[in-house]
Amino acid sequence: MKALYTASATVRGGREGSVESSDGALKHDLKMPKELGGPGGMGTNPEQLFAAGYGACYESALANIARKEGVKLQDVVVTSNVLIGKDESDGGFKLAVRLDVSLPGIERAKAEDLAEKAHAFCPYSKATRGNIEVELNVL
C-alpha cells in the first residue's frame, strides 16, 4: 500500500497517562474507566478514541457509497460503541463494536443495503474484519 497520509500519536503513561498527536490537534489525558478498575474522571481512554475514529470513518464511507448510488442522505447519525470485556480463551481482554446507524428518510431495506456496503468499504471495517465482532444496527 502506498500511504496517502500518516497519523501519529504519542502516548506516555498508558491508560493513566496522556496522548498527543504529532500536530498537537489532539491532546488529552488518559484515564482508566471505573468499570475497568480505574479512577475514572476527566480524560479519555483508548476505547473512546477508537469509537470516535471508527464512527467518523464509517460515516464517511456511508456518504461515499450513497453518493455513488445517487442516494441523498440527510441528518445521518452513526454512534460507534466499542465494548471491552474478558476474553475467555486467554483471560485477557477483547473488543467488539456495534455501529448504530440512523438514516432518516431512507427506506429500511435500502438503508440496510447502504450500511452493509459502507461496512465493506470502510477502512476501519476492513482492519477489524475477522479480528473482532462488529455488529451493524440500522435504526
Side-chain angles (χ1 to χ4, degrees):
M1 173 189 85
K2 181 182 176 191
L4 300 175
Y5 170 73
T6 300
S8 181
T10 300
V11 175
R12 291 181 174 82
R15 286 183 171 270
E16 290 295 326
S18 64
V19 61
E20 183 173 0
S21 61
S22 58
D23 64 1
L26 175 74
K27 187 173 185 175
H28 290 283
D29 289 333
L30 298 171
K31 295 292 181 196
M32 176 84 77
K34 286 183 182 182
E35 297 85 349
L36 296 178
M42 291 304 294
T44 191
N45 59 64
E47 294 73 31
Q48 289 176 335
L49 294 168
F50 186 58
Y54 200 155
C57 188
Y58 178 82
E59 188 169 344
S60 291
L62 187 60
N64 186 297
I65 295 298
R67 189 172 41 258
K68 286 179 180 177
E69 295 198 7
V71 176
K72 184 173 175 159
L73 299 179
Q74 277 187 249
D75 303 320
V76 172
V77 176
V78 173
T79 301
S80 177
N81 304 276
V82 173
L83 300 81
I84 186 169
K86 284 289 191 177
D87 185 342
E88 300 300 325
S89 69
D90 67 6
F93 294 90
K94 67 180 185 178
L95 299 176
V97 173
R98 186 183 74 243
L99 297 172
D100 294 332
V101 183
S102 175
L103 297 166
I106 306 295
E107 189 263 338
R108 181 154 189 89
K110 185 60 179 176
E112 289 173 350
D113 180 60
L114 291 171
E116 286 292 339
K117 287 177 179 175
H119 186 47
F121 186 75
C122 173
Y124 273 69
S125 293
K126 289 177 183 179
T128 59
R129 191 165 293 120
N131 296 311
I132 66 173
E133 181 183 327
V134 177
E135 176 189 350
L136 284 179
N137 182 31
V138 178
L139 306 174

